[in-house]
């Protein structure tokens, strides 16, 4: 390849449990990272429920994107889609990154994308139903090639995953250098962490295990410190848990009909949220291999 830049880290936001804040963190924390570190980010909506896309794109914009076939599905398979349960074998190379991603913000000086979104697609549900790993191999390779290309164009690639242990999770794991695992400060969330590790250990083709980072999300002023203390005392999980927790904030709660990045809204208490995000972004620098 002509481009000799070191490939950017790829971070999957993953937990086998739903509702732990994967999508919230993908959208809003990484938007803040762009400002805080002046680094460009590509967000990939890899969940068939496409909540990330619904958070960041208006319905009308998403319809246009879908009609133009500029969603994650076009990265997996070329259009026109074959049949629901059939995967074509000769897939060809993935589309170019710039032809399918939507730049959501650009740098004012260069007009280059600061943060872009590869929109999600309900058709990805297909991959939660077929499990023929051999037939799916070309699809996986096409996705991996796309992510590798994206790593040459962005400083960070984030993959917002769905909570199942499916083909898609394997794709995300293979593409990733890092995993960001949000956990709620409750025992069940920590169980999700254990399940994830069990799953990772059982993916034989995963020779380079991504580096795990745990982020405690949804702490309140009076949360049960027991769970957090247990996590921090754990010999395996403690050292990979970020010192800063993400607090519960009404500014982050998804609201019907509201799209856009939380930190761009000019409302009360935004500074406190931004300060919290700044600390988490700073916590992330060392594990991501960026200058602390
Ligand atoms: N720190 C937080 N403060 C307030 N609400 C949050 C926070 N994290 C997540 N939520 C809310 O919790 C719900 C689930 O979060 P979401 O990011 O969709 O989880 P996941 O992607 O893991 O399923 C959403 O309604 C979201 O707005
Ligand atoms: Mg989600």
């Amino acid at each position: 390849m002509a481009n000799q830049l070191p490939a950017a880290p790829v971070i999957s936001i993953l937990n086998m449990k739903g509702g732990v804040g994967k999508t919230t963190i993908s959208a809003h924390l990484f938007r803040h990272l762009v400002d805080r570190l002046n680094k460009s980010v590509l967000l990939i909506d890899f969940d068939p429920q496409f909540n990330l896309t619904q958070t960041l794109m208006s319905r009308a914009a998403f319809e246009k994107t879908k009609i133009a076939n500029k969603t994650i599905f076009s990265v997996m398979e070329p259009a026109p889609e074959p049949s629901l349960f059939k995967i074509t074998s000769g897939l060809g190379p993935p589309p170019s990154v710039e032809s399918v991603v939507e730049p959501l913000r650009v740098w004012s000086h260069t007009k280059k994308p600061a943060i872009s979104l590869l929109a999600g697609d309900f058709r990805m549900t297909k991959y939660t139903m077929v499990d023929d790993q051999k037939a799916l191999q070309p699809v996986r390779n096409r996705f991996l090639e796309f992510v590798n290309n994206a790593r040459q164009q962005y400083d960070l690639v984030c993959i917002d995953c769905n909570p199942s242990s499916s083909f898609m999770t394997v794709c995300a794991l293979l593409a990733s250098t890092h995993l960001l695992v949000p956990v709620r400060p409750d025992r069940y969330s920590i169980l999700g962490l254990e399940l994830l590790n069990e799953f990772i250990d059982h993916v034989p083709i995963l020779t380079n295990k991504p580096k795990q980072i745990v982020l405690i999300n949804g702490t309140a002023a009076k949360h049960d410190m027991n769970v957090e203390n247990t996590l921090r005392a754990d010999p395996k999980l403690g050292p990979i848990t970020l010192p800063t927790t993400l607090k519960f904030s009404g500014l982050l709660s998804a609201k019907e009909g509201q799209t856009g990045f939380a930190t761009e809204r000019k409302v009360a208490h935004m500074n406190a949220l931004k300060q919290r995000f700044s600390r988490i972004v700073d916590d992330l620098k060392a594990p991501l291999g960026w200058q602390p």
Side-chain angles (χ1 to χ4, degrees), residues 41-292:
V41 170
L42 171 63
L43 302 171
I44 298 181
D45 189 348
F46 210 47
D47 184 344
Q49 304 288 323
F50 62 100
N51 289 327
L52 179 64
T53 305
Q54 291 169 65
T55 303
L56 299 178
M57 257 188 183
S58 70
R59 223 195 152 87
F62 178 57
E63 286 308 319
K64 265 182 149 163
T65 302
K66 234 171 43 181
I67 289 165
N69 201 35
K70 291 162 80 171
T71 71
I72 179 67
F73 198 74
S74 71
V75 167
M76 312 308 278
E77 293 179 49
E81 131 201 37
S83 78
L84 187 59
F85 290 98
K86 254 186 145 166
I87 318 284
T88 37
S89 43
L91 296 180
S96 71
V97 176
E98 55 279 12
S99 72
V100 288
V101 308
E102 178 71 24
L104 298 177
R105 299 291 177 270
V106 295
W107 299 118
S108 53
H109 46 296
T110 59
K111 305 291 174 226
K112 281 190 165 178
I115 187 161
S116 302
L117 173 70
L118 175 58
D121 196 316
F122 181 69
R123 289 176 292 175
M124 295 291 283
T125 309
K126 164 180 186 176
Y127 304 121
T128 63
M129 297 187 281
V130 280
D131 200 29
D132 185 345
Q133 290 292 332
K134 192 148 188 266
L136 287 170
Q137 204 176 318
V139 179
R140 190 182 78 206
N141 291 343
R142 204 172 129 105
F143 170 74
L144 293 176
E145 191 180 334
F146 178 88
V147 175
N148 262 331
N149 295 339
R151 295 176 73 182
Q152 302 292 333
Q153 296 177 34
Y154 289 83
D155 296 318
L156 181 66
V157 178
C158 303
I159 307 177
D160 181 23
C161 296
N162 75 328
S164 77
S165 45
S166 65
F167 165 71
M168 269 183 284
T169 311
V170 175
C171 285
L173 288 172
L174 287 169
S176 297
T177 55
H178 295 75
L179 298 182
L180 181 62
V181 191
V183 295
R184 294 272 191 196
D186 63 51
R187 285 172 213 295
Y188 298 104
S189 279
I190 296 180
L191 212 68
L193 250 176
E194 285 163 11
L195 280 175
L196 174 64
N197 276 301
E198 216 168 280
F199 183 74
I200 291 175
D201 287 340
H202 286 90
V203 181
I205 42 174
L206 191 66
T207 42
N208 288 319
K209 282 188 190 158
K211 192 181 170 97
Q212 260 187 68
I213 305 163
V214 176
L215 170 58
I216 303 173
N217 175 36
T219 53
K222 278 198 310 187
H223 76 284
D224 179 3
M225 280 301 290
N226 264 337
V227 178
E228 184 175 339
N229 290 340
T230 309
L231 189 64
R232 294 200 187 279
D234 186 283
K236 231 173 91 194
L237 300 174
I240 60 170
T241 303
L242 296 183
T244 311
T245 64
L246 180 57
K247 286 190 183 175
F248 180 88
S249 161
L251 301 174
L252 292 174
S253 315
K255 287 178 193 70
E256 192 70 33
Q258 183 176 286
T259 54
F261 293 111
T263 48
E264 291 182 354
R265 289 166 50 216
K266 294 194 169 44
V267 291
H269 310 299
M270 190 53 80
N271 269 344
L273 176 64
K274 285 188 177 177
Q275 277 166 18
R276 179 65 52 166
F277 273 162
S278 292
R279 283 173 55 192
I280 298 172
V281 166
D282 293 348
D283 285 352
L284 279 172
K285 284 198 287 190
L288 286 176
W290 292 333
Q291 285 303 314

